[in-house]
Amino acid sequence: MIEVEKAREKIQHVLAQQKEVETVSILEAAGRVCAEDIYAKVAVPHFPRAGMDGYAIVAKESQGANPQEPICLKVTKTIFAGDAEQAFIKAHGTAVRIMTGAPIPKPYDAVIKQEWTDYGETQVNIYREITSGRNYGEVGEDVYLNQKIISKYQLLNSRTVGILAAQGITEIKVLAPIKVGILATGSELISLGSPLVSGKIYDSNLYTLASLIQTSGGKIVFTEYCSDDIGEISRIIQEKVNEVDLLITTGGVSVGEKDYIPHVIQQLEGELLFHFVNMKPGTPVMASLYQNKVLLNLSGNPFAAVVNLHVFYWSILAYFMNCPELNLEKRMVQLTEDLKPSTLRRFIRAYEENGFVSLKSIVHYSSVFHNTLETNCLIDQPAKKQLSKGDYVTVYYWKF
């Protein structure tokens, strides 16, 4: 039986990283991985701009100003945000009424906020002295020319989209998403919309896993389910494997009479990477290499399948996209109750809040799924280790 970390290494050892690139609108870029280093083609701002509504002045002319002895300056004009940058103005003894974001003409070097004046229109009384650079946005204050603003393999978000927009960039090169196919196996499964009859269950795993992958930016190429039939399972894998970067199956990986996935991989002459991992639930999880594609074979029990996916898929995705940000978020937090030791490493559904983690349910069967709605994380309990109230434990947060 292999450890989780070693199993991840075995997958990464045979997994090719994404090289395919596509161009998308910046409005479609959030959640994608940048495919190139991007440098600023313009400074932001590219002109000196006012940091607030007030008056642009030469700062040294405000020296000594106070409410009892204000400095009086002539107001020569008003400049609004969006107005063209002004030519050099003879500034001695003058001020310019200016609004936030408006270009500051030379040689004014500061903006005094209007609350420190009498709001004069033709002349203004200044009631405080200020220093050069106050409320004055220098050229490149936000982004300087040729600054690297986004790195290759950086995960893009709404903030990076805003930075791109400030450069006037409308499209960006990103890595193509990982292409995933999902095959749910089990003669007990029926498709949604079919009448529910005794002995059958709706195929929920397929939808749970597909939605998790899609919301992380993955592309679902196909979703299928089939009965416990070696020939049918083998046919689907052979037909579909070259359409995907990763093929995920659920069910059929344990040691029962109809757990056919290991037999199929052997029959197809695939390379077994591992089978059975020191983890609970989902111990029989398996991975193999077939036609240079990774097949990740998960447990058929709903909760076990999701735990398998979280433990392995996100690390696969982060490696494939060369982007560690895509991996699971984890923290060390304090337990609020005792946990009995388990013979295997255990991943326990739980709820973390304000640095403390607790169990929300007394039911932890791998076949029970509904109570995951009360949770936001998994506790990682090492094998054979008693955990006590107040101990610090690692938790992995659910994605989506």
Side-chain angles (χ1 to χ4, degrees), residues 3-21:
E3 296 297 325
V4 167
E5 289 74 17
K6 187 66 177 178
R8 288 172 176 158
E9 288 177 12
K10 282 183 171 288
I11 293 174
Q12 291 178 4
H13 184 70
V14 299
L15 183 67
Q17 291 186 297
Q18 180 64 291
K19 301 299 181 186
E20 186 180 343
V21 173

Side-chain angles (χ1 to χ4, degrees), residues 6-258:
K6 187 66 177 178
R8 288 172 176 158
E9 288 177 12
K10 282 183 171 288
I11 293 174
Q12 291 178 4
H13 184 70
V14 299
L15 183 67
Q17 291 186 297
Q18 180 64 291
K19 301 299 181 186
E20 186 180 343
V21 173
E22 58 190 33
T23 300
V24 298
S25 158
I26 62 168
L27 283 176
E28 301 171 329
R32 305 296 296 272
V33 176
C34 188
E36 61 184 348
D37 291 331
I38 299 178
Y39 295 86
K41 295 182 178 180
V42 296
V44 180
H46 64 275
F47 55 85
R49 65 183 177 189
M52 61 175 53
D53 294 347
Y55 296 83
I57 65 172
V58 176
K60 65 181 181 182
E61 294 194 344
S62 69
Q63 289 182 356
N66 61 71
Q68 290 71 41
E69 298 178 277
I71 299 294
C72 185
L73 300 174
K74 180 181 179 182
V75 179
T76 59
K77 61 177 61 183
T78 298
I79 304 175
F80 295 92
D83 286 350
E85 188 173 359
Q86 305 292 310
F88 184 92
I89 293 176
K90 188 175 181 180
H92 178 66
T94 67
V96 169
R97 183 79 166 101
I98 202 160
M99 305 303 163
T100 304
I104 300 174
K106 296 179 180 179
Y108 298 120
D109 61 357
V111 174
I112 186 162
K113 63 180 181 178
Q114 59 191 15
E115 292 86 348
W116 293 354
T117 74
D118 65 353
Y119 295 78
E121 295 183 4
T122 58
Q123 61 181 28
V124 61
N125 287 315
I126 307 295
Y127 297 130
R128 293 199 192 180
E129 62 179 57
I130 59 172
T131 56
S132 178
R134 188 72 177 268
N135 305 320
Y136 184 101
E138 298 275 2
V139 172
E141 178 187 53
D142 187 359
V143 175
Y144 58 83
L145 186 63
N146 297 322
Q147 176 183 339
K148 184 194 282 189
I149 53 174
I150 298 175
S151 298
K152 188 175 183 179
Y153 304 126
Q154 182 175 340
L155 184 63
L156 302 170
N157 55 36
S158 58
R159 298 182 299 282
T160 49
V161 168
I163 290 168
L164 291 169
Q167 291 290 312
I169 295 171
T170 59
E171 294 181 329
I172 183 173
K173 290 181 180 179
V174 297
L175 295 184
I178 189 170
K179 297 189 290 291
V180 181
I182 302 176
L183 171 62
T185 69
S187 298
E188 74 278 14
L189 302 178
I190 59 173
S191 61
L192 305 189
S194 301
L196 190 61
V197 297
S198 179
K200 300 291 186 179
I201 59 173
Y202 288 124
D203 179 14
S204 63
N205 280 347
L206 190 151
Y207 291 89
T208 304
L209 303 182
S211 62
L212 276 165
I213 291 164
Q214 283 181 318
T215 50
S216 70
K219 182 178 180 180
I220 299 297
V221 176
F222 72 87
T223 56
E224 291 198 21
Y225 74 96
C226 69
S227 62
D228 294 313
D229 180 275
I230 289 180
E232 188 178 7
I233 296 170
S234 179
R235 177 187 60 78
I236 293 173
I237 290 175
Q238 289 181 83
E239 287 180 357
K240 298 292 189 179
V241 70
N242 288 318
E243 299 178 11
V244 300
D245 302 306
L246 173 68
L247 197 158
I248 295 174
T249 70
T250 66
V253 290
S254 194
V255 292
E257 274 189 45
K258 290 195 173 184

